[in-house]
Amino acid sequence: MSVGPSFGASARPVPYYRPLIMLRKATERDLPDIERVMRASLGTLGNAYYDARQVASAMTWIARPDPQIVEDRTYFVIEQDGRIVACGGWSRRGKLYAGSAAGPGEGRLLDPSKDAARVRAMFVDPRYARRGLGRAILDACEAEARLAGFRSIELMATLSGEALYAACGYEVVERTEMVLEDGVVLGGAKMAKMLA
């Protein structure tokens, strides 16, 4: 009686490996890994849009985790098999983008009835780009901002991040520039989205 093909005595099924991916809130212990992801992202993905001087400046002045947003519990990381591979969050504070010198009023709390929440410091390790990780973080940010009473959300996009935000429904409000602490200028776009 035949029960199917014979694979021999030594044949064993090959286990299917499925990476464990988890989105969670960042903690203070994650700050070094967040900085690693920021630096990898800016140093690789930024090269297609900015020159070497701009990338070096961004690595110095933008690739700095903001402890305040982590302390506010509005910053996320995505881990794959226990390694942080993406990060990003939203904020109810006035600061619009990561790094650089603090300006007046950046630490103030926003009023959900009239202000837009901020998307902040979105970075993906280049080895994990275009796998939906950025979109997953944006979805989490938007859901939390909505629950906090915000009706709109805005961000400052680098040129390398603009396509992701556009694909997620953000529209360019203003073409602008980020002037970093050393005077280097990065082109960017202020983008916004209404929250249903």
Side-chain angles (χ1 to χ4, degrees), residues 20-41 65 70 73 75-89 121-129 131 133-134 137:
L20 176 63
I21 297 174
M22 179 175 68
L23 183 146
R24 65 171 174 79
K25 293 288 179 89
T27 69
E28 188 176 289
R29 288 174 308 182
D30 297 320
L31 293 175
D33 287 323
I34 291 168
E35 182 173 349
R36 173 186 48 78
V37 171
M38 289 175 147
R39 293 181 66 79
S41 180
V70 172
R73 305 284 295 144
Y75 200 71
F76 298 94
V77 294
I78 291 181
E79 294 181 338
Q80 179 168 317
D81 295 331
R83 178 179 170 83
I84 293 175
V85 297
C87 53
M122 294 278 299
F123 296 94
V124 176
D125 184 315
R127 293 172 294 177
Y128 299 86
R131 297 187 190 183
L133 303 183
I137 291 173

Side-chain angles (χ1 to χ4, degrees), residues 6-196:
S6 173
F7 294 104
S10 63
R12 292 191 177 133
V14 176
Y16 174 72
Y17 171 70
R18 185 174 194 170
L20 176 63
I21 297 174
M22 179 175 68
L23 183 146
R24 65 171 174 79
K25 293 288 179 89
T27 69
E28 188 176 289
R29 288 174 308 182
D30 297 320
L31 293 175
D33 287 323
I34 291 168
E35 182 173 349
R36 173 186 48 78
V37 171
M38 289 175 147
R39 293 181 66 79
S41 180
L42 285 166
T44 301
L45 302 176
N47 282 326
Y49 298 89
Y50 301 110
D51 65 32
R53 182 169 176 255
Q54 290 172 311
V55 170
S57 180
M59 297 271 280
T60 300
W61 302 111
I62 292 179
R64 294 175 166 183
D66 183 348
Q68 180 68 65
I69 196 172
V70 172
E71 185 180 310
D72 286 345
R73 305 284 295 144
T74 58
Y75 200 71
F76 298 94
V77 294
I78 291 181
E79 294 181 338
Q80 179 168 317
D81 295 331
R83 178 179 170 83
I84 293 175
V85 297
C87 53
W90 71 281
S91 180
R92 57 175 60 90
R93 296 185 183 272
K95 189 169 187 174
L96 185 58
Y97 60 91
S100 204
E106 289 189 342
R108 71 180 171 87
L109 289 173
L110 301 170
D111 180 349
S113 69
K114 61 181 181 181
D115 296 321
R118 315 286 202 233
V119 170
R120 293 271 316 282
M122 294 278 299
F123 296 94
V124 176
D125 184 315
R127 293 172 294 177
Y128 299 86
R130 295 174 180 48
R131 297 187 190 183
L133 303 183
R135 186 180 291 266
I137 291 173
L138 275 177
D139 287 348
C141 291
E142 291 171 11
E144 281 199 357
R146 194 178 295 112
L147 283 173
F150 287 93
R151 295 178 293 206
S152 63
I153 194 162
E154 64 184 16
L155 56 89
M156 178 67 78
T158 60
L159 299 178
S160 54
E162 187 177 333
L164 165 67
Y165 302 124
C168 293
Y170 289 77
E171 296 182 355
V172 174
V173 174
E174 177 186 4
R175 292 276 168 205
T176 188
E177 296 175 332
M178 294 170 271
V179 181
L180 304 185
E181 288 180 36
D182 56 5
V184 171
V185 176
L186 299 183
K190 186 174 180 181
M191 302 180 78
K193 179 179 180 177
M194 296 303 295
L195 296 174

